[in-house]
Amino acid sequence: SFNISVSAALSLHYLTEKLRKSEINWQLPEDEILDIKLDWVRNVIKHSDLIEKDFFRKKNFELPLPQ
């Protein structure tokens, strides 16, 4: 008998393998992947808003509009 974590892991493994072998278009587009990664980085790095503003200021870019 497996514990709940092992059961969940086995179920997820089975489902993801089945999905990868299917014809279903399940992957995210590159722009959505980038947005998710940027959101993650902004949440992980302290004062990311200040760092981002400083970066854009130094590169003479306009700041992107918040989403």
Coordinates of all heavy atoms in Angstrom, one line a residue:
S1 N 0.9 -1.2 0.0 CA 0.0 0.0 0.0 C 0.9 1.2 0.0 O 1.8 1.4 0.8 CB -0.9 0.0 1.2 OG -0.2 0.2 2.4
F2 N 0.6 2.1 -1.0 CA 1.4 3.4 -1.1 C 0.8 4.5 -0.2 O -0.5 4.5 0.0 CB 1.4 3.9 -2.5 CG 2.1 2.9 -3.5 CD1 1.4 2.4 -4.6 CD2 3.4 2.6 -3.3 CE1 2.0 1.6 -5.5 CE2 4.0 1.8 -4.2 CZ 3.3 1.3 -5.3
N3 N 1.6 5.4 0.2 CA 1.0 6.5 0.9 C 0.4 7.5 -0.1 O 0.6 7.3 -1.3 CB 2.0 7.2 1.8 CG 3.2 7.9 1.1 OD1 3.1 8.2 -0.1 ND2 4.3 8.0 1.8
I4 N -0.2 8.5 0.3 CA -0.9 9.4 -0.6 C 0.0 10.2 -1.6 O -0.3 10.4 -2.7 CB -1.8 10.5 0.2 CG1 -2.7 11.2 -0.7 CG2 -1.0 11.4 1.0 CD1 -3.9 10.4 -1.3
S5 N 1.2 10.5 -1.1 CA 2.2 11.2 -2.0 C 2.7 10.3 -3.1 O 2.8 10.8 -4.3 CB 3.4 11.7 -1.2 OG 3.0 12.6 -0.1
V6 N 2.9 9.1 -2.8 CA 3.4 8.1 -3.8 C 2.2 7.9 -4.8 O 2.5 7.8 -6.0 CB 3.9 6.8 -3.2 CG1 4.2 5.8 -4.3 CG2 5.1 7.1 -2.3
S7 N 1.0 7.7 -4.3 CA -0.1 7.5 -5.2 C -0.3 8.7 -6.1 O -0.6 8.5 -7.3 CB -1.4 7.3 -4.3 OG -1.2 6.1 -3.6
A8 N -0.2 9.9 -5.6 CA -0.4 11.1 -6.4 C 0.7 11.2 -7.5 O 0.5 11.5 -8.6 CB -0.4 12.3 -5.5
A9 N 1.9 10.9 -7.1 CA 3.1 10.9 -8.0 C 2.9 9.9 -9.1 O 3.1 10.2 -10.3 CB 4.4 10.7 -7.3
L10 N 2.5 8.7 -8.8 CA 2.3 7.7 -9.8 C 1.2 8.1 -10.8 O 1.3 7.9 -12.0 CB 2.0 6.3 -9.2 CG 3.2 5.7 -8.4 CD1 2.7 4.5 -7.7 CD2 4.2 5.3 -9.4
S11 N 0.1 8.6 -10.2 CA -1.0 9.1 -11.1 C -0.6 10.2 -12.0 O -0.9 10.2 -13.2 CB -2.2 9.5 -10.2 OG -2.7 8.5 -9.4
L12 N 0.1 11.2 -11.5 CA 0.6 12.3 -12.3 C 1.5 11.8 -13.4 O 1.5 12.3 -14.5 CB 1.2 13.4 -11.5 CG 0.3 14.2 -10.7 CD1 1.1 15.1 -9.7 CD2 -0.6 15.1 -11.6
H13 N 2.4 10.9 -13.0 CA 3.4 10.3 -14.0 C 2.6 9.6 -15.1 O 2.9 9.9 -16.3 CB 4.3 9.4 -13.4 CG 5.3 8.7 -14.3 ND1 6.3 9.4 -14.9 CD2 5.3 7.5 -14.8 CE1 6.9 8.6 -15.7 NE2 6.3 7.4 -15.7
Y14 N 1.7 8.8 -14.8 CA 0.9 8.1 -15.8 C 0.1 9.1 -16.7 O 0.2 8.9 -17.9 CB -0.1 7.2 -15.1 CG -1.1 6.5 -16.0 CD1 -0.7 5.5 -16.9 CD2 -2.4 7.0 -16.1 CE1 -1.7 4.9 -17.7 CE2 -3.3 6.5 -17.0 CZ -3.0 5.4 -17.8 OH -3.8 4.9 -18.7
L15 N -0.5 10.1 -16.1 CA -1.3 11.0 -16.9 C -0.4 11.9 -17.8 O -0.8 12.1 -18.9 CB -2.2 11.9 -16.0 CG -3.3 11.2 -15.3 CD1 -3.9 12.1 -14.2 CD2 -4.3 10.7 -16.3
T16 N 0.7 12.3 -17.3 CA 1.6 13.2 -18.1 C 2.2 12.4 -19.3 O 2.3 12.9 -20.4 CB 2.7 13.9 -17.3 OG1 3.4 12.9 -16.6 CG2 2.1 14.9 -16.3
E17 N 2.5 11.1 -19.0 CA 3.1 10.3 -20.1 C 2.0 10.1 -21.2 O 2.3 10.1 -22.4 CB 3.5 8.9 -19.6 CG 4.9 9.0 -18.8 CD 6.0 9.5 -19.7 OE1 6.2 9.0 -20.8 OE2 6.7 10.4 -19.3
K18 N 0.8 9.8 -20.8 CA -0.3 9.6 -21.7 C -0.6 10.9 -22.5 O -0.8 10.8 -23.7 CB -1.6 9.2 -20.9 CG -2.6 8.6 -21.8 CD -3.7 8.0 -20.9 CE -4.7 7.3 -21.9 NZ -5.7 6.6 -21.2
L19 N -0.5 12.0 -21.9 CA -0.7 13.3 -22.5 C 0.4 13.6 -23.5 O 0.1 14.1 -24.6 CB -0.8 14.4 -21.5 CG -1.2 15.8 -22.0 CD1 -2.6 15.8 -22.6 CD2 -1.2 16.8 -20.8
R20 N 1.6 13.4 -23.1 CA 2.8 13.6 -24.0 C 2.7 12.7 -25.3 O 3.1 13.2 -26.4 CB 4.1 13.4 -23.3 CG 4.4 14.4 -22.3 CD 5.8 14.2 -21.7 NE 6.1 15.3 -20.8 CZ 6.3 15.2 -19.5 NH1 6.2 14.0 -19.0 NH2 6.5 16.2 -18.7
K21 N 2.2 11.5 -25.2 CA 2.1 10.6 -26.3 C 0.9 10.9 -27.2 O 0.7 10.3 -28.3 CB 2.1 9.2 -25.8 CG 3.4 8.8 -25.2 CD 3.4 7.3 -24.7 CE 4.7 7.0 -24.0 NZ 4.6 5.6 -23.4
S22 N 0.0 11.7 -26.7 CA -1.3 12.0 -27.4 C -1.0 13.1 -28.5 O 0.0 13.7 -28.6 CB -2.4 12.5 -26.5 OG -2.1 13.8 -26.0
E23 N -2.1 13.3 -29.3 CA -2.0 14.4 -30.3 C -2.5 15.7 -29.8 O -2.7 16.7 -30.6 CB -2.9 13.9 -31.5 CG -2.4 12.6 -32.2 CD -1.1 12.8 -32.9 OE1 -0.9 13.9 -33.5 OE2 -0.3 11.8 -32.9
I24 N -2.9 15.8 -28.5 CA -3.4 17.0 -28.0 C -2.3 18.1 -27.9 O -1.2 17.8 -27.4 CB -4.0 16.7 -26.6 CG1 -5.1 15.7 -26.7 CG2 -4.5 18.0 -25.9 CD1 -5.6 15.2 -25.3
N25 N -2.7 19.3 -28.3 CA -1.8 20.4 -28.2 C -1.9 21.0 -26.8 O -2.7 21.9 -26.5 CB -2.1 21.5 -29.3 CG -1.1 22.6 -29.2 OD1 0.0 22.6 -28.6 ND2 -1.5 23.7 -29.9
W26 N -1.1 20.5 -25.9 CA -1.2 20.9 -24.4 C -0.1 21.9 -24.0 O -0.2 22.4 -22.9 CB -1.1 19.6 -23.6 CG 0.1 18.8 -23.8 CD1 0.4 17.9 -24.7 CD2 1.4 19.0 -23.0 NE1 1.6 17.4 -24.6 CE2 2.3 18.0 -23.6 CE3 1.7 19.8 -22.0 CZ2 3.6 17.9 -23.1 CZ3 3.0 19.6 -21.5 CH2 3.9 18.7 -22.0
Q27 N 0.9 22.1 -24.8 CA 2.0 23.0 -24.3 C 1.6 24.4 -24.4 O 0.9 24.8 -25.3 CB 3.3 22.7 -25.1 CG 3.8 21.3 -24.8 CD 5.0 20.9 -25.5 OE1 5.2 21.4 -26.6 NE2 5.9 20.1 -24.9
L28 N 2.2 25.2 -23.5 CA 2.0 26.7 -23.5 C 2.8 27.3 -24.6 O 3.9 26.9 -24.9 CB 2.4 27.3 -22.2 CG 1.6 26.9 -21.0 CD1 2.2 27.5 -19.7 CD2 0.1 27.4 -21.1
P29 N 2.2 28.4 -25.2 CA 3.0 29.2 -26.2 C 4.2 29.8 -25.5 O 4.2 30.1 -24.3 CB 2.1 30.2 -26.7 CG 0.7 29.8 -26.2 CD 0.9 28.9 -25.1
E30 N 5.3 30.1 -26.3 CA 6.5 30.7 -25.7 C 6.2 32.0 -24.9 O 6.9 32.2 -23.9 CB 7.5 30.9 -26.8 CG 8.2 29.7 -27.3 CD 9.0 29.0 -26.2 OE1 9.7 29.6 -25.5 OE2 8.9 27.7 -26.2
D31 N 5.3 32.8 -25.4 CA 5.1 34.1 -24.8 C 4.5 33.9 -23.4 O 4.8 34.6 -22.4 CB 4.3 35.1 -25.6 CG 2.9 34.5 -26.0 OD1 2.8 33.3 -26.1 OD2 2.0 35.3 -26.2
E32 N 3.6 32.9 -23.2 CA 3.0 32.6 -21.9 C 4.0 32.0 -21.0 O 4.0 32.3 -19.8 CB 1.8 31.6 -22.1 CG 0.6 32.3 -22.7 CD -0.6 31.4 -22.7 OE1 -0.8 30.7 -21.6 OE2 -1.3 31.3 -23.7
I33 N 4.9 31.2 -21.5 CA 6.0 30.6 -20.7 C 6.9 31.8 -20.2 O 7.2 31.8 -19.0 CB 6.9 29.6 -21.5 CG1 6.0 28.4 -21.8 CG2 8.1 29.2 -20.7 CD1 6.7 27.4 -22.8
L34 N 7.2 32.7 -21.0 CA 8.0 33.8 -20.6 C 7.3 34.7 -19.5 O 7.9 35.1 -18.5 CB 8.4 34.7 -21.8 CG 9.2 36.0 -21.5 CD1 10.6 35.6 -20.9 CD2 9.5 36.7 -22.8
D35 N 6.0 34.9 -19.7 CA 5.2 35.7 -18.7 C 5.2 35.0 -17.4 O 5.4 35.6 -16.3 CB 3.8 35.9 -19.2 CG 3.7 36.9 -20.3 OD1 4.6 37.7 -20.5 OD2 2.6 36.9 -21.0
I36 N 5.1 33.7 -17.4 CA 5.1 32.9 -16.1 C 6.4 33.0 -15.4 O 6.5 33.2 -14.2 CB 4.7 31.4 -16.4 CG1 3.2 31.4 -16.8 CG2 4.9 30.6 -15.2 CD1 2.7 30.0 -17.3
K37 N 7.5 32.8 -16.2 CA 8.9 32.9 -15.7 C 9.1 34.3 -15.1 O 9.7 34.4 -14.0 CB 9.9 32.6 -16.7 CG 9.9 31.1 -17.1 CD 11.0 30.8 -18.1 CE 11.0 29.3 -18.4 NZ 12.0 29.0 -19.5
L38 N 8.7 35.3 -15.8 CA 8.9 36.7 -15.3 C 8.1 37.0 -14.0 O 8.6 37.6 -13.1 CB 8.5 37.7 -16.4 CG 9.5 37.9 -17.5 CD1 8.9 38.8 -18.6 CD2 10.8 38.5 -17.0
D39 N 6.9 36.5 -14.0 CA 6.1 36.6 -12.7 C 6.8 35.9 -11.6 O 6.9 36.4 -10.5 CB 4.7 36.0 -12.9 CG 3.8 36.9 -13.8 OD1 4.1 38.1 -13.9 OD2 2.8 36.4 -14.2
W40 N 7.4 34.7 -11.8 CA 8.1 33.9 -10.8 C 9.3 34.7 -10.3 O 9.5 34.9 -9.1 CB 8.5 32.6 -11.3 CG 9.3 31.8 -10.4 CD1 8.8 31.1 -9.3 CD2 10.7 31.6 -10.3 NE1 9.8 30.5 -8.6 CE2 11.0 30.8 -9.2 CE3 11.7 32.1 -11.1 CZ2 12.3 30.5 -8.9 CZ3 13.0 31.7 -10.8 CH2 13.3 30.9 -9.7
V41 N 10.1 35.2 -11.3 CA 11.3 36.0 -10.9 C 10.9 37.2 -10.1 O 11.6 37.5 -9.1 CB 12.1 36.3 -12.1 CG1 13.2 37.4 -11.8 CG2 12.7 35.1 -12.8
R42 N 9.9 37.9 -10.5 CA 9.5 39.1 -9.8 C 9.0 38.8 -8.4 O 9.2 39.6 -7.5 CB 8.4 39.8 -10.6 CG 8.9 40.5 -11.8 CD 7.7 41.0 -12.6 NE 8.2 41.7 -13.8 CZ 7.6 41.7 -15.0 NH1 6.5 41.0 -15.2 NH2 8.1 42.3 -16.0
N43 N 8.5 37.6 -8.2 CA 8.0 37.2 -6.8 C 9.1 36.7 -6.0 O 9.1 36.8 -4.7 CB 6.9 36.2 -6.9 CG 5.6 36.7 -7.4 OD1 5.2 37.8 -7.0 ND2 4.9 36.0 -8.2
V44 N 10.2 36.2 -6.5 CA 11.3 35.6 -5.8 C 12.3 36.6 -5.4 O 12.9 36.6 -4.3 CB 12.0 34.5 -6.6 CG1 13.2 34.0 -6.0 CG2 11.0 33.3 -6.8
I45 N 12.6 37.6 -6.2 CA 13.7 38.6 -6.0 C 13.1 39.7 -5.2 O 12.1 40.3 -5.6 CB 14.3 39.0 -7.3 CG1 14.9 37.9 -8.0 CG2 15.3 40.2 -7.1 CD1 15.5 38.2 -9.4
K46 N 13.8 40.1 -4.1 CA 13.4 41.2 -3.3 C 13.6 42.5 -4.1 O 14.6 42.7 -4.8 CB 14.2 41.3 -2.0 CG 13.8 40.2 -1.0 CD 14.6 40.3 0.3 CE 14.3 39.2 1.2 NZ 15.1 39.3 2.5
H47 N 12.6 43.4 -4.0 CA 12.7 44.7 -4.7 C 12.8 44.6 -6.2 O 13.5 45.4 -6.8 CB 13.8 45.6 -4.1 CG 13.7 45.7 -2.6 ND1 12.7 46.3 -1.9 CD2 14.6 45.2 -1.6 CE1 12.9 46.3 -0.6 NE2 14.0 45.6 -0.4
S48 N 12.2 43.5 -6.7 CA 12.4 43.3 -8.2 C 11.8 44.5 -9.0 O 12.4 44.8 -10.0 CB 11.6 42.1 -8.6 OG 10.2 42.2 -8.4
D49 N 10.8 45.2 -8.4 CA 10.3 46.4 -9.2 C 11.4 47.5 -9.3 O 11.5 48.1 -10.4 CB 9.0 46.9 -8.5 CG 9.3 47.3 -7.0 OD1 10.1 46.6 -6.4 OD2 8.6 48.2 -6.5
L50 N 12.1 47.7 -8.3 CA 13.2 48.7 -8.3 C 14.3 48.2 -9.3 O 14.9 49.1 -10.0 CB 13.8 48.9 -6.9 CG 12.8 49.5 -5.9 CD1 13.4 49.6 -4.5 CD2 12.2 50.8 -6.3
I51 N 14.7 47.0 -9.2 CA 15.7 46.5 -10.1 C 15.3 46.6 -11.5 O 16.1 47.0 -12.4 CB 16.1 45.0 -9.7 CG1 16.7 45.0 -8.3 CG2 17.0 44.4 -10.7 CD1 16.8 43.6 -7.7
E52 N 14.0 46.2 -11.8 CA 13.5 46.3 -13.2 C 13.5 47.7 -13.7 O 13.9 48.0 -14.8 CB 12.1 45.7 -13.2 CG 11.6 45.4 -14.6 CD 10.3 44.6 -14.6 OE1 9.8 44.2 -13.5 OE2 9.9 44.3 -15.7
K53 N 13.0 48.7 -12.8 CA 13.0 50.1 -13.2 C 14.4 50.6 -13.5 O 14.6 51.3 -14.5 CB 12.3 50.9 -12.1 CG 10.9 50.8 -12.0 CD 10.3 51.6 -10.9 CE 8.8 51.4 -10.7 NZ 8.3 52.1 -9.5
D54 N 15.3 50.2 -12.7 CA 16.7 50.7 -12.9 C 17.3 50.1 -14.2 O 18.0 50.8 -14.9 CB 17.6 50.2 -11.7 CG 19.0 50.8 -11.7 OD1 19.1 52.0 -11.9 OD2 19.9 50.0 -11.6
F55 N 17.0 48.8 -14.5 CA 17.4 48.2 -15.7 C 16.9 49.0 -16.9 O 17.7 49.3 -17.8 CB 17.0 46.7 -15.7 CG 17.2 46.1 -17.1 CD1 18.5 45.6 -17.4 CD2 16.2 46.0 -18.0 CE1 18.7 45.0 -18.6 CE2 16.4 45.4 -19.2 CZ 17.7 44.9 -19.6
F56 N 15.6 49.2 -16.9 CA 15.0 49.9 -18.1 C 15.5 51.3 -18.2 O 15.7 51.8 -19.3 CB 13.5 49.9 -18.0 CG 12.9 48.5 -18.4 CD1 12.2 47.8 -17.5 CD2 13.0 48.1 -19.7 CE1 11.7 46.5 -17.8 CE2 12.5 46.9 -20.1 CZ 11.8 46.1 -19.1
R57 N 15.7 52.0 -17.1 CA 16.3 53.3 -17.1 C 17.7 53.4 -17.7 O 18.0 54.2 -18.6 CB 16.3 53.9 -15.7 CG 16.8 55.4 -15.6 CD 16.9 55.8 -14.2 NE 17.8 55.0 -13.4 CZ 19.1 55.0 -13.4 NH1 19.8 55.8 -14.3 NH2 19.9 54.3 -12.6
K58 N 18.5 52.4 -17.3 CA 19.9 52.3 -17.8 C 19.9 52.0 -19.3 O 20.8 52.4 -20.0 CB 20.7 51.3 -17.0 CG 21.1 51.8 -15.7 CD 21.8 50.7 -14.9 CE 22.2 51.2 -13.5 NZ 22.9 50.2 -12.7
K59 N 18.9 51.2 -19.8 CA 18.9 50.9 -21.2 C 18.1 51.8 -22.0 O 17.9 51.7 -23.2 CB 18.3 49.5 -21.3 CG 19.1 48.4 -20.7 CD 20.4 48.1 -21.4 CE 21.1 47.0 -20.8 NZ 22.4 46.7 -21.4
N60 N 17.6 52.9 -21.4 CA 16.7 53.9 -22.1 C 15.5 53.3 -22.7 O 15.1 53.7 -23.8 CB 17.5 54.7 -23.1 CG 18.6 55.6 -22.4 OD1 18.3 56.2 -21.4 ND2 19.7 55.6 -23.0
F61 N 14.9 52.3 -22.1 CA 13.7 51.7 -22.5 C 12.5 52.3 -21.7 O 12.7 52.7 -20.6 CB 13.7 50.2 -22.3 CG 14.6 49.4 -23.2 CD1 15.4 48.4 -22.6 CD2 14.7 49.6 -24.5 CE1 16.3 47.6 -23.4 CE2 15.6 48.9 -25.3 CZ 16.4 47.9 -24.7
E62 N 11.4 52.2 -22.3 CA 10.2 52.6 -21.6 C 9.8 51.4 -20.8 O 9.9 50.2 -21.2 CB 9.0 53.0 -22.6 CG 9.3 54.3 -23.2 CD 8.0 54.7 -24.0 OE1 6.9 54.4 -23.6 OE2 8.2 55.4 -25.0
L63 N 9.2 51.6 -19.6 CA 8.8 50.5 -18.8 C 7.5 49.9 -19.4 O 6.6 50.6 -19.9 CB 8.4 51.0 -17.4 CG 9.6 51.5 -16.5 CD1 9.1 52.1 -15.2 CD2 10.5 50.2 -16.2
P64 N 7.5 48.6 -19.4 CA 6.2 47.9 -19.9 C 5.1 48.2 -18.9 O 5.3 48.4 -17.7 CB 6.6 46.5 -19.8 CG 7.8 46.3 -18.9 CD 8.4 47.6 -18.9
L65 N 3.9 48.2 -19.5 CA 2.7 48.5 -18.7 C 2.4 47.3 -17.8 O 2.6 46.1 -18.2 CB 1.5 48.8 -19.5 CG 1.6 50.0 -20.4 CD1 0.4 50.1 -21.4 CD2 1.7 51.2 -19.6
P66 N 2.0 47.5 -16.5 CA 1.7 46.4 -15.6 C 0.6 45.6 -16.2 O -0.3 46.1 -16.8 CB 1.3 47.0 -14.3 CG 1.5 48.5 -14.5 CD 1.8 48.8 -15.9
Q67 N 0.6 44.3 -15.9 CA -0.4 43.4 -16.5 C -1.4 43.1 -15.4 O -1.2 42.9 -14.3 CB 0.2 42.1 -17.0 CG 1.0 42.4 -18.2 CD 1.7 41.1 -18.7 OE1 1.4 40.0 -18.3 NE2 2.5 41.3 -19.7

